[in-house]
Amino acid sequence: MWMAGGGVRGGTVYGATDDYGYFAVENKVHLHDLHATMLHLLGLDHKRLTYPFSGRDMRLTDVASQVIPGLLA
């Protein structure tokens, strides 16, 4: 994925793939962590962004997500 501007560290390659570029082999990032990082860059707290569903509050980034500090400037 390519990200630019808005607090993203420029010129950084985060992680690595296998020889064919198919599987991540270093610094794997879960989709929820990526979403939490993008929400952080937009100025939103992903832990407070909830919506009611089936009688309980749910988060877009699930319960175990965290911001990836290696991507921030």
Side-chain angles (χ1 to χ4, degrees):
M1 175 178 217
W2 183 76
M3 296 173 69
V8 177
R9 184 178 299 162
T12 300
V13 176
Y14 190 80
T17 60
D18 61 353
D19 293 336
Y20 297 108
Y22 192 70
F23 293 108
V25 294
E26 183 181 316
N27 291 335
K28 296 179 183 180
V29 174
H30 195 271
L31 183 64
H32 294 305
D33 296 336
L34 182 63
H35 285 168
T37 303
M38 288 191 282
L39 288 171
H40 175 78
L41 291 170
L42 289 170
L44 299 171
D45 185 11
H46 70 96
K47 294 179 182 176
R48 294 184 57 211
L49 187 62
T50 61
Y51 59 95
F53 180 74
S54 293
R56 64 181 274 232
D57 288 337
M58 302 292 285
R59 279 196 256 167
L60 293 174
T61 56
D62 209 11
V63 294
S65 61
Q66 55 188 335
V67 175
I68 305 164
L71 295 177
L72 303 178

